[in-house]
Amino acid sequence: QKEVEQNSGPLSVPEGAIASLNCTYSDRGSQSFFWYRQYSGKSPELIMFIYSNGDKEDGRFTAQLNKASQYVSLLIRDSQPSDSATYLCAVKDTDKLIFGTGTRLQVFP
Amino acid sequence: DAMVIQNPRYQVTQFGKPVTLSCSQTLNHNVMYWYQQKSSQAPKLLFHYYDKDFNNEADTPDNFQSRRPNTSFCFLDIRSPGLGDAAMYLCATSKRDDTQYFGPGTRLTVL
């Protein structure tokens, strides 16, 4: 059974700080990794994807992948209250995505 | 704009009364997915289509059925909704081996 694990949180950070969200996965052969943001009552929205070891930056967001440790993370710089949401980590398995249960992020002013 | 559309956005049904949820897409993606998501849980894949090939998850109840009459449309039929089927139902699409994009979801309430 392939699994994706996330700390459910909540992770509370002050406005302007860096939020660090972490995810581990069980299948060493996994190649593609995704971060989705989900506001309460809304559908998941793609934030970033990463396929290669290392860092990938997009604006205030940086995804980090370490395949040897089976670990993927999402850093949010200069966190804003509008970043308060649940962040879902997902790992691709053929045509499907295996989701973690998500980490709830709270950014307080 | 290319997008994934779900109708209705909110659906209220009675226990045991069949309901159909619809999803359409203008992205011309060949894979379409249906997920069920309950509060504070991860989206749970019910089934997906790769073109017309239907792929059912092993633990999807028989109460849930799906149809894909063409590339653009996909339907989720719940034959006899129970109270435990109240959830957000999410449709997603992708090209094969590519990123999934979600529609806005349908919130199902069962009375």
Side-chain angles (χ1 to χ4, degrees), chain B residues 70-89:
Chain B
N70 54 52
T71 300
S72 301
F73 284 87
C74 196
F75 299 96
L76 170 62
D77 300 308
I78 308 176
R79 295 193 295 187
S80 181
L83 298 178
D85 297 327
M88 174 80 87
Y89 289 88

Side-chain angles (χ1 to χ4, degrees), chain B residues 19-22 34 46-49 54 56 60-68 74-80 89:
Chain B
V19 66
T20 295
L21 311 181
S22 75
W34 279 106
L46 296 174
F47 20 62
H48 72 282
Y49 281 91
F54 176 70
N56 196 35
T60 298
D62 291 340
N63 197 27
F64 292 86
Q65 303 286 317
S66 185
R67 297 170 281 136
R68 189 180 185 185
C74 196
F75 299 96
L76 170 62
D77 300 308
I78 308 176
R79 295 193 295 187
S80 181
Y89 289 88

Side-chain angles (χ1 to χ4, degrees), chain A residues 11-17 19 79-85 105-109:
Chain A
L11 173 66
S12 293
V13 300
E15 185 174 357
S79 296
Q80 301 297 310
S82 59
D83 294 326
S84 299
L105 173 66
Q106 294 177 337
V107 181
F108 56 91

Side-chain angles (χ1 to χ4, degrees), chain A residues 48-96:
Chain A
M48 291 194 71
F49 58 86
I50 185 166
Y51 302 147
S52 303
N53 271 331
D55 294 0
K56 180 182 178 183
E57 188 174 319
D58 183 2
R60 294 187 298 113
F61 299 96
T62 299
Q64 299 176 319
L65 175 60
N66 183 326
K67 290 184 179 179
S69 300
Q70 295 176 234
Y71 178 95
V72 58
S73 63
L74 179 70
L75 301 179
I76 307 174
R77 288 181 300 282
D78 190 24
S79 296
Q80 301 297 310
S82 59
D83 294 326
S84 299
T86 296
Y87 289 80
L88 298 166
C89 173
V91 177
K92 197 164 183 65
D93 178 18
T94 58
D95 276 335
K96 303 186 290 188

Side-chain angles (χ1 to χ4, degrees), chain B:
Chain B
D1 286 341
M3 55 175 46
V4 182
I5 300 165
Q6 290 188 245
N7 284 303
R9 296 291 308 279
Y10 301 91
Q11 176 74 58
V12 179
T13 191
Q14 293 181 330
F15 183 95
K17 185 175 181 181
V19 66
T20 295
L21 311 181
S22 75
C23 177
S24 63
Q25 52 124 345
T26 59
L27 299 162
N28 203 31
H29 285 169
N30 50 7
V31 193
M32 294 186 77
Y33 307 80
W34 279 106
Y35 290 87
Q36 178 193 64
Q37 188 178 27
K38 297 184 177 180
S39 182
S40 301
Q41 296 184 18
K44 177 182 181 299
L45 183 64
L46 296 174
F47 20 62
H48 72 282
Y49 281 91
Y50 173 51
D51 290 328
K52 284 196 172 291
D53 291 338
F54 176 70
N55 299 273
N56 196 35
E57 293 301 297
D59 57 354
T60 298
D62 291 340
N63 197 27
F64 292 86
Q65 303 286 317
S66 185
R67 297 170 281 136
R68 189 180 185 185
N70 54 52
T71 300
S72 301
F73 284 87
C74 196
F75 299 96
L76 170 62
D77 300 308
I78 308 176
R79 295 193 295 187
S80 181
L83 298 178
D85 297 327
M88 174 80 87
Y89 289 88
L90 298 163
C91 175
T93 74
S94 74
K95 295 181 182 177
R96 190 122 207 234
D97 294 330
D98 205 346
T99 306
Q100 287 188 28
Y101 294 93
F102 285 84
T106 295
R107 170 74 64 186
L108 177 67
T109 300
V110 181
L111 301 178

